[in-house]
Amino acid sequence: MATAQTIVLPGDKISLSALPTSPNPNKPLTLGPGLRHIPPSTITTTIAGALVVDTRKNATWVEYNSGRYTPSPSDLVIATVHSSLTEAYNCTLTPHTPYATLPQLAFESATRKTRPILAPNSLVYARILSCTPYTAPELTCVDPSTGKAGGLGPLKGGMVFEISLGMARRLMLGGAKGSVVLLEALAEKVAFEVAVGRNGVLWVHGGEGAQGIKITLAVGRAVQEADEKCLGVKDQRKVVEKALKGL
Amino acid sequence: MSSKAVLSHLHRADGSATYSQNGYTIIGAVNGPVDVQRRDELPEEAAIEVNVRPAVGVGGPRERHLESLIQATLRHLILVRSYPRTLIQVTLQVRSLPEEESAGIGSVLTNSSLTLLPHLLNTAFLALLSASIPLSTTLTSAFVVITSSGKLLYSPSSTDILRAQSIRSIHVFAFSAQRSLLLSEGEGEFDVEEWEDACDLAEDRCCRNAGIAGENMDVDGEVMNLADFLRDVVKEKVVKEQKWKTAP
């Protein structure tokens, strides 16, 4: 991204020339976060950030990295179980927001007799099934089409680290696109499990025992450092080297 | 006039900003959208709560008055309908006041609550930007003083006010990016023409000029357009957030 970015402030009108033009006339324009369509044809911004245009997807959105997580459907999140009802668990995604409900049967191969028992404060890696401004978000741990977990479910052991929402998005984008080499570089030397929640939560499990805890802390802190300092690929490798030295 | 702003420096708040100008320093923090108490809940829109905390002591009627003015202004700025049944909490802590004001020398300054208002509004807006709350437009606010000789002073520092001796009225204005007047508060004696002059002066300094950016710079480059200042602050924020894209 060497090109100059368009900085937008709330209320800026996006001119028609700045919008992506798709070669396919049937493909509608997609407006991402931070943009608002005022009929008939005015598009204004609602959030301060950098305007991003994707011509291939015929989409445009505002990129920003601050504020509170607002749930949106099909986001992968790490939820904390708060309490159990008869049919569902109450989970928290972010502090001081309404509880998200996770039905007790929304786990892989769960039946009325065999369903996972989650104690309060245990962690779940889940997908947001639905959420509207008027209802609490609903979570699920299975893929509705296949009925398989696909990596979702209760997270056992390990530890959570808070990261910024932008870092969570970068980690989910993967190595090349989000320019994070941190986890891959660490994984070459040590073994650990991670789960990234869109709600700004990173779960790391480095294994059992004293060495496992050391690995967990090293990985979590390395990601947090790269997040706080907004490190590029080169500086991330330095962080990895430093982290590995301590193990 | 030298304005300074720092964004997102408080870790526990969703958004925060410190804004300082002319000896006024205010810390603003925004939390939201969060759970709302049942009695404050609005079925169709987000409730906005503003807390103003003075530099010394606890708040009184003066702070409550400022809170209600700020709340009414922000309500039209925030897209409250996108977060129904939630709360957006804005806390503004006055950290320092100009020496003259806290010492109680300038009688106009200490008696009027209006001199603080534009700074509170600017801080609240910056904190909302930092919290990425959806907003319909930007806000810039300034105050104009009319002296007894009929001279207009734009955002005078407290020493300027003391030097001007007698002051007839104080006006606070807030403008959106589209140059519409969002708030106008006046105190003292004035007529309509004077008010219009004051309003024009404030609009000129608050809003972007249609012409070349930076045209409003004074000869010594001291007075900066508030809209340009806002854009600079956001630019700094974006550059800081996207450093990883350009970093080696």
Side-chain angles (χ1 to χ4, degrees), chain B residues 69-80:
Chain B
L69 287 174
I70 296 166
Q71 202 263 357
T73 314
L74 294 183
R75 219 176 75 82
H76 294 288
L77 209 68
I78 299 171
L79 295 170
V80 279

Side-chain angles (χ1 to χ4, degrees), chain A residues 2-34:
Chain A
T3 49
Q5 285 171 321
T6 323
I7 311 279
V8 287
L9 259 70
D12 282 2
K13 280 199 181 68
I14 307 292
S15 62
L16 286 174
S17 58
L19 293 173
T21 42
S22 172
N24 182 358
N26 290 329
K27 202 170 184 183
L29 176 71
T30 317
L31 295 182

Side-chain angles (χ1 to χ4, degrees), chain A residues 37 42 50-51 69 79 82 86 101 106 137 171 192 221 224:
Chain A
H37 174 225
T42 318
L51 187 73
Y69 171 73
H82 178 265
T86 46
T101 52
L171 285 169
F192 58 88
R221 283 185 187 149
Q224 276 183 329

Side-chain angles (χ1 to χ4, degrees), chain B:
Chain B
M1 183 188 87
S2 57
S3 310
K4 254 173 56 186
V6 189
L7 286 193
S8 307
H9 56 302
L10 302 179
H11 294 285
R12 292 288 177 187
D14 289 331
S16 54
T18 290
Y19 174 75
S20 37
Q21 192 205 0
N22 280 347
Y24 292 92
T25 305
I26 294 155
I27 308 174
V30 169
N31 277 306
V34 293
D35 253 345
V36 61
Q37 274 186 26
R38 189 49 82 74
R39 66 183 164 115
D40 300 329
E41 187 181 282
L42 301 170
E44 293 278 349
E45 53 190 58
I48 296 162
E49 182 188 307
V50 181
N51 289 304
V52 174
R53 304 179 142 268
V56 183
V58 288
R62 180 184 135 125
E63 277 70 31
R64 297 292 94 72
H65 174 58
L66 287 171
E67 280 169 12
S68 66
L69 287 174
I70 296 166
Q71 202 263 357
T73 314
L74 294 183
R75 219 176 75 82
H76 294 288
L77 209 68
I78 299 171
L79 295 170
V80 279
R81 297 212 158 226
S82 43
Y83 297 116
R85 302 188 305 115
T86 57
L87 175 73
I88 293 166
Q89 199 177 37
V90 182
T91 311
L92 300 162
Q93 166 76 55
V94 181
R95 208 181 80 195
S96 65
L97 294 169
E99 273 171 44
E100 291 82 354
E101 187 162 335
S102 40
I105 304 171
S107 59
V108 196
L109 286 168
T110 34
N111 291 339
S112 167
S113 58
L114 287 187
T115 47
L116 193 58
L117 183 58
H119 306 102
L120 289 173
L121 277 172
N122 284 333
T123 315
F125 179 74
L126 287 169
L128 285 172
L129 272 192
S130 154
S132 300
I133 304 276
L135 305 166
S136 60
T137 182
T138 60
L139 174 141
T140 44
S141 176
F143 78 108
V144 175
V145 166
I146 304 176
T147 62
S148 47
S149 55
K151 208 177 147 202
L152 296 176
L153 297 173
Y154 167 77
S155 276
S157 64
S158 9
T159 37
D160 285 342
I161 293 180
L162 284 182
R163 215 179 293 144
Q165 297 292 333
S166 56
I167 281 158
R168 227 171 341 136
S169 58
I170 299 178
H171 303 270
V172 175
F173 298 99
F175 290 93
S176 75
Q178 288 77 30
R179 288 179 168 255
S180 52
L181 189 60
L182 294 173
L183 170 121
S184 157
E185 285 286 318
E187 208 174 86
E189 274 177 47
F190 56 90
D191 55 38
V192 177
E193 264 173 46
E194 280 175 329
W195 182 88
E196 276 176 349
D197 285 345
C199 186
D200 285 346
L201 178 65
E203 184 182 336
D204 193 42
R205 297 293 164 86
C206 277
C207 302
R208 244 181 171 203
N209 225 334
I212 317 133
E215 201 184 23
N216 293 31
M217 290 270 195
D218 262 12
V219 190
D220 46 16
E222 252 190 9
V223 176
M224 198 190 178
N225 188 299
L226 272 173
D228 287 334
F229 166 74
L230 210 62
R231 213 158 266 273
D232 283 350
V233 170
V234 171
K235 197 170 174 185
E236 209 174 289
K237 171 182 181 265
V238 171
V239 167
K240 206 171 129 198
E241 278 173 4
Q242 314 226 329
K243 212 172 83 186
W244 58 272
K245 278 193 181 168
T246 48

